[in-house]
Amino acid sequence: MSSTNKQFLMNQLVWIGISFAISITISMLLPFPISLVAIVGTFLLLNYYIRRRMMSRIGNVGAIGGMFSPIPTNGSSLNYYCMGCGKQHRQTACPKCGSKMKRIG
């Protein structure tokens, strides 16, 4: 196992431990129905924080779309080409042959 994999695994185990400790603490302090809601809310906020932290490490927070952007948006436009005839277009279906299959080039 490489050093990067070990570091990733240790990081995940630390966050699981933190989440578990927070959940146990909340369940001891609050009665059942309220603790369940608080634990779910805390879990969601903790996951949001972890994801935000990871995205800021790779420099993707300021991009358009934030963490939900599937591709980096650095100002370049994408070119789509029909897989049937090769025509470049931006529509859903190819205006030349009508195929909906396209590739990014």
Side-chain angles (χ1 to χ4, degrees):
M1 190 183 277
S2 70
S3 174
T4 307
N5 289 341
K6 285 182 184 178
Q7 184 180 7
F8 176 77
L9 181 62
M10 284 305 295
N11 192 21
Q12 293 299 311
L13 289 174
V14 165
W15 282 111
I16 289 171
I18 290 171
S19 177
F20 186 70
I22 291 171
S23 298
I24 293 295
T25 304
I26 289 174
S27 66
M28 293 294 178
L29 295 175
L30 298 174
F32 170 67
I34 299 170
S35 66
L36 184 63
V37 173
I39 289 171
V40 170
T42 303
F43 182 73
L44 293 174
L45 287 174
L46 190 61
N47 281 331
Y48 177 76
Y49 169 74
I50 294 169
R51 173 140 338 193
R52 191 81 169 159
R53 189 170 146 231
M54 292 303 238
M55 294 303 280
S56 68
R57 281 187 181 174
I58 61 172
N60 221 10
V61 172
I64 296 173
M67 73 178 93
F68 302 109
S69 179
I71 55 172
T73 52
N74 56 1
S76 63
S77 63
L78 296 175
N79 296 321
Y80 295 99
Y81 296 93
C82 175
M83 291 182 71
C85 65
K87 178 172 175 51
Q88 180 180 354
H89 64 89
R90 308 266 311 161
Q91 291 86 19
T92 302
C94 177
K96 185 176 178 183
C97 69
S99 173
K100 290 187 179 182
M101 293 182 59
K102 53 188 171 184
R103 65 177 173 85
I104 299 173

